[in-house]
Amino acid sequence: MFFDLALTYDPDKRRCDLTLGADCDLAIDETPIPAILLSIGLDRRAAPDDPLPEGRSQFLAPVSYSERRGCAGDALDPTGAMTGSRLWLLDRAKQTETTRQLCDFWLQESLAWAKPETGDPAAIEVAWVRDGVLGYRVQVQDASVTLSRRVEA
């Protein structure tokens, strides 16, 4: 059972805001939508062998936490579980099949919680919707989210 603060996604600004009810209290969402949005929208720490979008590497730049990003809340998890997705690494990606496959893999990685929580894995579809725009649809139980991101054509 899901019980989270409701989020409203603004596709033009590519960000979420907390949702207020008619009485100006924070709204509660009993669907997996907030969990999906956070899983996709938060930045997961890049692996040591992931090329960074800015073209920097561990050999050309000073080592710091911010270069490989990561959700600050991960430092508080006693099991070492990581939150978010590595989709931010696609910021300078080209429109190729490899980019589409990476997007699919990183979405599966970020939504791995769905199977233990619901009994079914997240259903993920990734496709080029038009030139330079990668679209993806994620479904957990009966709730689905459709998003897209621009890449270099």
Side-chain angles (χ1 to χ4, degrees):
M1 176 107 202
F2 292 92
F3 199 74
D4 293 313
L5 292 173
L7 296 174
T8 303
Y9 179 72
D10 182 347
D12 295 328
K13 295 179 182 175
R14 294 185 61 204
R15 69 176 186 201
C16 291
D17 285 317
L18 290 170
T19 304
L20 296 177
D23 57 358
C24 291
D25 283 343
L26 290 172
I28 301 297
D29 192 338
E30 296 182 26
T31 70
I33 298 293
I36 293 170
L37 290 172
L38 289 173
S39 295
I40 295 171
L42 293 174
D43 292 344
R44 180 180 288 233
R45 186 157 174 81
D49 59 341
D50 285 335
L52 300 176
E54 296 86 27
R56 291 181 287 168
S57 75
Q58 61 186 358
F59 304 110
L60 301 175
V63 176
S64 76
Y65 187 80
S66 63
E67 286 176 358
R68 298 222 169 261
R69 295 191 185 178
C71 179
D74 289 348
L76 303 174
D77 191 307
T79 64
M82 295 207 297
T83 307
S85 71
R86 291 190 281 169
L87 293 179
W88 66 273
L89 292 169
L90 297 177
D91 283 352
R92 293 183 49 160
K94 304 290 185 201
Q95 184 174 339
T96 65
E97 178 61 15
T98 302
T99 299
R100 191 198 67 73
Q101 290 174 352
L102 275 174
C103 181
D104 190 331
F105 177 76
W106 287 336
L107 284 169
Q108 289 177 30
E109 176 185 65
S110 69
L111 295 160
W113 56 264
K115 184 162 176 76
E117 290 290 324
T118 66
D120 294 318
I124 299 169
E125 299 171 19
V126 180
W128 294 104
V129 291
R130 60 180 182 274
D131 205 27
V133 178
L134 188 60
Y136 40 94
R137 180 177 177 275
V138 174
Q139 183 170 348
V140 175
Q141 290 181 329
D142 293 333
S144 67
V145 173
T146 302
L147 300 168
S148 63
R149 82 179 298 116
R150 266 198 167 304
V151 296
E152 294 181 18

